[in-house]
Amino acid sequence: MAESRKKQTKPKQSNRKYIIGFWALFGVGVLAVILFFLMAGWGVFGKMPTFEELENPETNLATELISSDGETLGKYYRENRTPIKYEDLPQHLVQALVATEDERFYKHAGIDARGTVRAAVYLGAKGGASTITQQLSKQLFTEDFSTDNTFERVLQKMKEWVIATRLERQYTKEEIITMYLNKYDFLYQAVGVRSASRIYFDKEPKDLKLEESAVLVAMLKNSALYNPVRRPDLVENRRNQVFVQMYKNGFLTEQQKDSLQQTEMKITFSPEGHDDGIATYFREYTRQFLSDWIDENPKPDGEKYNLYRDGLKVYTSIDSKMQEYAEDAVTKHLTHIQQEFDRQNKNNRTAPFRDIDQSMISNIINGSIKRSARYKKMKQEGKSEEEILASFDEPREMRIFSWKGDIDTTMTPRDSIRYYKSFLQSGLMSMDPTTGEVKAWVGGTNFKHFKYDHVKQGKRQVGSTFKPFVYATAIDQLKMSPCDTLPLNKFTIPKGKYGNIDDWTPRNSGSGDDVYKGMMSLKEALANSVNTVTARVIDKTTPGNVISLISKLGIDTEGFPTGPAIALGTADISLYDMVSAYSTFANKGVRVKPVLITRIEDKNGTVLFQNVPETYDVMSEEAAYVTVNLMEGVTRYGSGARLRGTGREVRLDYQRAVTGYPYDFKNPIAGKTGTTQNQSDGWFMGMVPNLVTGVWVGAEDRSVHFPGITYGQGATMALPIWGMYMKSVYANEDLNISQDEFERPENLSISVDCDTYGRSNNPDSGVVEELDF
């Protein structure tokens, strides 16, 4: 019996040892894991984020440029990230994310224990175990090891777990989802869901459809692999799996799932590179403005704002619709008139240049070579002048601009410079004269290929668009009336007067002596750009008084010519200054400095800058109104009359260049065309009571131009852009662009209602108008 009991008790003693040993080993393992986690948290295995860093995780936020109507014009960034709030995320996007990436997201505290065990048992064959919070921690604070070293991968995972649990204590579930979607890189400079929504679907996240949200969630698995631009079939299959997950988690019915899976995946790819989108020239000008502002306005701690990562919001005066209308008008007309320009250059042996010899052409090309990025880069690399110039004669593969789209070709850099010289360029600026707000800014034809801004950066001869300043000086200071008449005969300002080196005798457009006979009112003289009458007027006012007026109008007069020839527009002035100056006439003699930036906020919405309008009293309301009245004659029966679409019909051969005709405007329009010597520059300045728009067209070099006045004048080169732009503007009634009369001052003392309105006092004068249809 005793021996039998002994045999029965021995196993119990043996099991007890094993059990104790097992629990001891288990306890040591648990303690080791806990210690391992503590060591990871203490930063033994690598730097861990501090409490402050968890509170304010480091992210690069793009500075956003916002139009006056609330649209994003563009961004400045190293990473194209613009944060979005949780309430602006569509609910189906959140549901698709949770169903696909982390089914138990709302039940765990950062680590999904069930998912971790499953991943360990099946070695990841049935899905990974990373929660949304872990993925966020990896994006924010840990390095992504690309290694087969198991120990390093374990350390990486442990750091993710520690940070994930800390994030869960620090943030709500909604905040974690928002941070994750704001951080993820969706490729093509689409960092964050808002950029991705705009780039892949051209809309804000709140406007996404369920099937579009599913595409973005499909990309979260691996955006490089699931790329909807390069691998649409693969992404569509993955998108359909997102629908399956949503069905499994109760967010969709089976019928909805099946229906959505049959939906074709559609992408509206809209890149947001610095050269893409609208208002590219304006955005580049604003970049320089902001750089200067940042230098002068540091943060409270003295540190400078970073344009590319501090998430500033810059509110501008640009209206996105008006900007689109302006760019569309420029593109349509230049595409059209370029064809005529190229046709007329077919038999030009020095094309695209005219009226210069080969040595001058070589000087132009060589000058452009030395201003090129290639030349400057090679110079910095220490290359010799001989090596650099030789490289410009070596054929290379390149992509060049054309109005039908970019072309892949092979040519020498020297030939490409000459090729680009052949393109007509344009500038357009549109401004509300009452507020100073610039509504549209088109600096050129294509910012990617032509960086030069023809609104603010460029200055060109303004031709007859300068004449209203001469007449305005006479009206303001001498109280001259549009009805006053002056002789048409030849007029000379002698050598020595106003600093003239030689006698100055301007000529009228046309041929023969008839263009110098009779009398003509100021209104008709301005309408038809009669030079002899303008010369008489500047002689009465003196060039000095005209320069004094335009300086008050905001035109940069530093280095300005002082002779009487300025009356015919020989001076170089920027389009920006011209629009600003003309706006004073429309605003009853009060100049409002152009407004481009209305407000700047930091990423938290704190206002850092608020524009305060700058106004200047320049001339009397009466003088401004009379000047406007004078310019109305230009569009009624003068060089701008084709805006009316009646009376002065465009011949068939002109239709190759006069894009968009007829315009058929009925409302009051004040304006002036301008054409410079050799047709190098074409201008049109047009005004209605609450919008002033200026247009310039010409080539980069003044020796590139039309051979004759028919196509080279402002009424053909520039006016069509104004006409098409304004037709689009008026078609959009939400813009509230005026079609009313200019407001007439009370007690107007200068007569504007001439009995012979619009016609010469001498019907036999034989004047040949600037435009002859």
Side-chain angles (χ1 to χ4, degrees), residues 97 181 202 374 414 417 488 534 560 589 591 595 699 738 760:
L97 169 65
L181 290 175
D202 195 24
R374 171 189 290 275
R414 183 184 296 274
I417 288 174
L488 285 166
T534 307
F560 210 78
R591 176 186 169 235
V595 174
S738 174
S760 170

Side-chain angles (χ1 to χ4, degrees), residues 476-544:
D476 190 39
Q477 298 182 4
L478 304 178
K479 303 299 180 183
M480 291 186 72
S481 164
C483 308
D484 289 337
T485 59
L486 292 173
L488 285 166
N489 62 299
K490 291 183 180 179
F491 178 75
T492 298
I493 295 180
K495 178 174 65 175
K497 192 174 184 180
Y498 311 126
N500 272 356
I501 297 176
D502 298 306
D503 289 347
W504 182 61
T505 307
R507 297 181 301 168
N508 289 335
S509 177
S511 59
D513 293 336
D514 287 345
V515 296
Y516 299 104
K517 291 180 179 179
M519 303 284 289
M520 181 173 279
S521 70
L522 297 189
K523 178 168 283 191
E524 191 170 9
L526 181 66
N528 295 287
S529 290
V530 179
N531 292 335
T532 55
V533 173
T534 307
R536 289 180 183 276
V537 175
I538 200 170
D539 188 41
K540 292 177 180 294
T541 62
T542 76

Side-chain angles (χ1 to χ4, degrees), residues 414-456:
R414 183 184 296 274
D415 287 341
S416 73
I417 288 174
R418 186 162 185 154
Y419 170 79
Y420 279 115
K421 295 288 186 184
S422 67
F423 285 96
L424 294 174
Q425 303 291 327
S426 183
L428 179 151
M429 176 172 150
S430 194
M431 171 178 162
D432 183 334
T434 62
T435 64
E437 293 186 348
V438 175
K439 294 299 181 183
W441 175 305
V442 184
T445 55
N446 183 294
F447 186 74
K448 179 180 178 181
H449 293 282
F450 304 97
K451 302 294 187 186
Y452 194 79
D453 178 17
H454 293 286
V455 170
K456 190 80 162 63

Side-chain angles (χ1 to χ4, degrees), residues 595-751:
V595 174
L596 301 167
I597 309 299
T598 57
R599 188 170 79 255
I600 301 174
E601 296 178 357
D602 68 11
K603 64 183 178 182
N604 300 314
T606 303
V607 177
L608 306 176
F609 167 82
Q610 184 75 51
N611 179 73
V612 178
E614 296 181 37
T615 61
Y616 309 88
D617 290 327
V618 176
M619 60 198 308
S620 68
E621 181 180 350
E622 179 182 59
Y625 175 77
V626 174
T627 303
V628 169
N629 181 271
L630 195 67
M631 285 190 280
E632 285 188 75
V634 173
T635 66
R636 289 189 184 278
Y637 52 83
S639 57
R642 64 172 51 153
L643 287 173
R644 302 297 175 187
T646 56
R648 301 166 63 91
E649 300 298 337
V650 175
R651 293 198 319 241
L652 287 176
D653 56 337
Y654 282 93
Q655 292 181 9
R656 289 195 297 266
V658 184
T659 319
Y661 184 84
Y663 312 105
D664 203 25
F665 292 110
K666 307 299 183 185
N667 58 294
I669 299 170
K672 187 69 190 81
T673 57
T675 309
T676 62
Q677 189 176 14
N678 294 330
Q679 303 79 236
S680 296
D681 305 272
W683 291 79
F684 184 72
M685 306 294 299
M687 304 188 293
V688 296
N690 65 348
L691 194 67
V692 176
T693 304
V695 181
W696 167 87
V697 174
E700 180 182 319
D701 290 270
R702 299 181 195 222
S703 55
V704 179
H705 55 78
F706 275 103
I709 192 71
T710 300
Y711 295 94
Q713 60 185 298
T716 305
M717 288 215 291
L719 180 144
I721 293 175
W722 193 96
M724 289 188 292
Y725 167 66
M726 289 300 293
K727 282 180 72 173
S728 297
V729 164
Y730 278 134
N732 188 339
E733 295 180 359
D734 293 337
L735 298 175
N736 295 316
I737 302 304
S738 174
Q739 298 192 53
D740 298 332
E741 300 273 353
F742 290 90
E743 186 177 347
R744 183 179 179 127
E746 296 181 6
N747 303 318
L748 184 65
S749 64
I750 300 176
S751 176

